[in-house]
């Protein structure tokens, strides 16, 4: 999904006291750790002593605590901004290693938009599944009332041999879905993965979401592995796509599940408002605000004009730039 991202600015302070590194907003402690690690890495690569201090400023519009990778986006942007200040471009593998050290487990945003099997606590790619997932239209929603989740407080999942065999079957099906651009098979894999994840972190709306998917003709559903963001997946080639999307939005809202945004993956084209609201209902765009200091986990940060259709493809970008003193 294109759109949400983090912007990081890093300003070195050569005359500062050792270790005088600050971040704004002050609660972005993972990004601060990432900046400190990146300073050490860049200094070693250039054969210099690390700069004693600096200021890291973050801004962006990735909602916190919903499972959309906000901390990874902050961390990766911070690392890239520090590297840019040192006039270096760190390879993705190095960024992944530093990101895992900074936040214990990282999403693979530094590796681009390809579908990967990624060891999040090790920072390494186990398998590249292909160039892109099958195209899909996603009606996004938030479970649990959209409340944030402290991912680091969640217990580590325990899997037995049956789990390993089941996930390997899903992994094999996902390989085929990617190779054949099979959206329906992608929906099946995603749904079954979410169903199995219920044993680790139960979502009370799962059954309701699954029933809605069946009623409105979705090919499946997805739920963030450690958050409350979810979505129903549709085949963009469905002849009555607009009708299905509108039914889905109505059904979710009727059941009290907040709708966030609807977007297409695997394409840069924009789906028309007509798909979601019909010809007689046109809404005006409300530009998203980019203000990290007021960034919250509640739904308006996710919302795009009550579910206005956007465009997708790839992962939330970690934007960055730096300011240096002369």
């Amino acid at each position: 999904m294109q759109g949400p991202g983090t912007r990081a600015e890093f300003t070195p302070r050569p005359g500062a006291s050792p270790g005088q590194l600050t971040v704004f907003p002050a609660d972005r402690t993972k990004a601060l750790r990432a900046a400190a690690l990146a300073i050490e890495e860049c200094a070693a690569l250039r054969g210099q002593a690390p700069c004693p201090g600096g200021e890291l400023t973050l801004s962006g519009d990735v909602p916190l605590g919903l499972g959309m990778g906000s901390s990874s986006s902050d961390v990766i942007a911070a690392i890239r901004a520090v590297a840019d200040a040192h006039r270096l471009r760190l390879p993705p593998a190095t960024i992944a290693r530093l990101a895992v050290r900074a936040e214990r487990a990282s999403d693979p945003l530094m590796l681009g938009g390809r579908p990967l099997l990624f060891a999040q606590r090790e920072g390494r790619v186990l398998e590249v599944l292909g160039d892109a997932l099958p195209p899909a239209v996603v009606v996004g929603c938030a479970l649990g009332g959209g409340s944030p989740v402290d991912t680091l407080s969640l217990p580590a999942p325990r899997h037995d041999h049956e789990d390993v065999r089941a996930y390997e079957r899903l992994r094999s099906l996902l390989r085929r879905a990617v190779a054949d651009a099979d959206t329906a098979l992608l929906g099946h894999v995603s749904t079954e993965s979410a169903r199995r994840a219920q044993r680790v972190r139960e979502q009370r709306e799962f059954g309701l979401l699954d029933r809605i998917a069946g009623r409105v003709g979705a090919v499946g559903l997805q739920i963030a592995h450690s958050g409350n963001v979810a979505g129903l997946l549709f085949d963009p080639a469905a002849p009555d796509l607009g009708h299905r999307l509108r039914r889905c939005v109505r059904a979710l809202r009727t059941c009290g599940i907040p709708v966030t945004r609807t977007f297409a993956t695997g394409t840069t084209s924009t789906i028309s408002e007509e798909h979601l609201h019909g010809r007689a209902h046109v809404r005006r765009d409300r530009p998203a605000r980019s203000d990290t200091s007021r960034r919250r986990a509640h739904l308006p940060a996710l919302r795009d004009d009550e579910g206005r259709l956007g465009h997708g493809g790839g992962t939330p970008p970690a934007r960055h730039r730096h300011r240096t003193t002369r």
Side-chain angles (χ1 to χ4, degrees):
M1 179 175 62
Q2 292 183 347
T6 297
R7 181 185 183 89
E9 298 182 15
F10 178 71
T11 306
R13 296 297 186 203
S17 302
Q20 191 176 351
L21 192 65
T22 61
V23 63
F24 179 81
D27 62 349
R28 303 297 191 266
T29 54
K30 295 177 183 177
L32 185 64
R33 287 197 298 270
L37 293 168
I39 288 171
E40 294 178 359
E41 182 78 19
C42 293
L45 290 173
R46 295 183 66 89
Q48 301 173 346
C51 67
E55 298 174 0
L56 177 67
T57 301
L58 300 171
S59 60
D61 52 4
V62 185
L64 304 179
L66 294 186
M68 291 186 68
S70 60
S71 61
S72 292
S73 185
D74 286 354
V75 162
I76 294 167
I79 294 171
R80 287 175 172 168
V82 169
D84 196 34
H86 286 81
R87 294 178 172 80
L88 292 173
R89 184 178 293 273
L90 299 178
T94 299
I95 297 175
R97 172 171 53 83
L98 297 176
V100 169
R101 288 183 62 192
E103 60 170 337
R104 289 173 46 185
S106 175
D107 292 322
L109 304 181
M110 74 294 291
L111 297 168
R114 292 185 301 171
L116 306 169
L117 183 63
F118 185 71
Q120 293 169 305
R121 294 180 183 270
E122 300 176 18
R124 63 188 180 95
V125 176
L126 302 177
E127 180 181 355
V128 178
L129 296 167
D131 291 330
L133 290 173
V137 176
V138 184
V139 177
C141 59
L143 307 181
S147 59
V149 176
D150 182 2
T151 57
L152 293 181
S153 69
L154 297 176
R158 295 182 179 181
H159 299 297
D160 56 23
H161 292 298
E162 194 278 329
D163 289 322
V164 174
R165 289 193 295 269
Y167 280 117
E168 183 52 43
R169 287 194 296 271
L170 292 178
R171 186 174 165 188
S172 177
L173 292 175
L174 183 56
R175 290 191 195 103
R176 191 200 314 169
V178 171
D180 298 341
D182 189 333
T183 304
L185 186 55
L186 172 69
H188 169 73
V189 171
S190 180
T191 302
E192 291 309 306
S193 178
R195 193 187 310 279
R196 298 193 70 83
Q198 285 291 102
R199 294 184 300 169
V200 177
R201 182 171 180 274
E202 184 178 3
Q203 296 279 6
R204 61 181 178 83
E205 298 104 328
F206 175 84
L208 181 58
L209 208 62
D210 195 24
R211 290 192 293 274
I212 291 175
R215 291 203 307 267
V216 302
V219 297
L221 59 90
Q222 59 86 203
I223 300 176
H225 67 277
S226 59
N228 282 333
V229 69
L232 281 81
L233 313 180
F234 292 83
D235 188 339
D240 55 348
L241 177 62
H243 177 63
R244 298 186 190 204
L245 296 179
R246 292 191 290 273
R247 285 188 62 202
C248 180
V249 170
R250 287 196 299 268
L252 289 170
R253 288 175 174 164
T254 298
C255 294
I257 299 177
V259 178
T260 55
R261 70 163 73 191
T262 302
F263 61 96
T265 69
T267 178
T268 56
S269 62
T270 300
I271 302 175
S272 71
E273 290 280 341
E274 189 175 305
H275 279 98
L276 187 59
H277 300 300
R279 295 187 180 185
H281 191 105
V282 178
R283 296 177 181 269
R284 294 184 179 274
D285 290 350
R286 288 200 301 253
R289 299 180 63 179
S290 179
D291 188 346
T292 304
S293 63
R294 290 193 292 270
R295 198 164 99 206
R296 303 168 188 262
H298 59 48
L299 293 174
L302 267 175
R303 194 180 304 280
D304 187 6
D305 198 19
E306 296 278 82
R308 186 180 68 85
L309 290 170
H311 54 84
T315 52
R319 298 187 290 272
H320 56 92
R321 72 181 177 97
H322 77 282
R323 287 198 300 252
T324 58
T325 55
R326 298 292 183 184

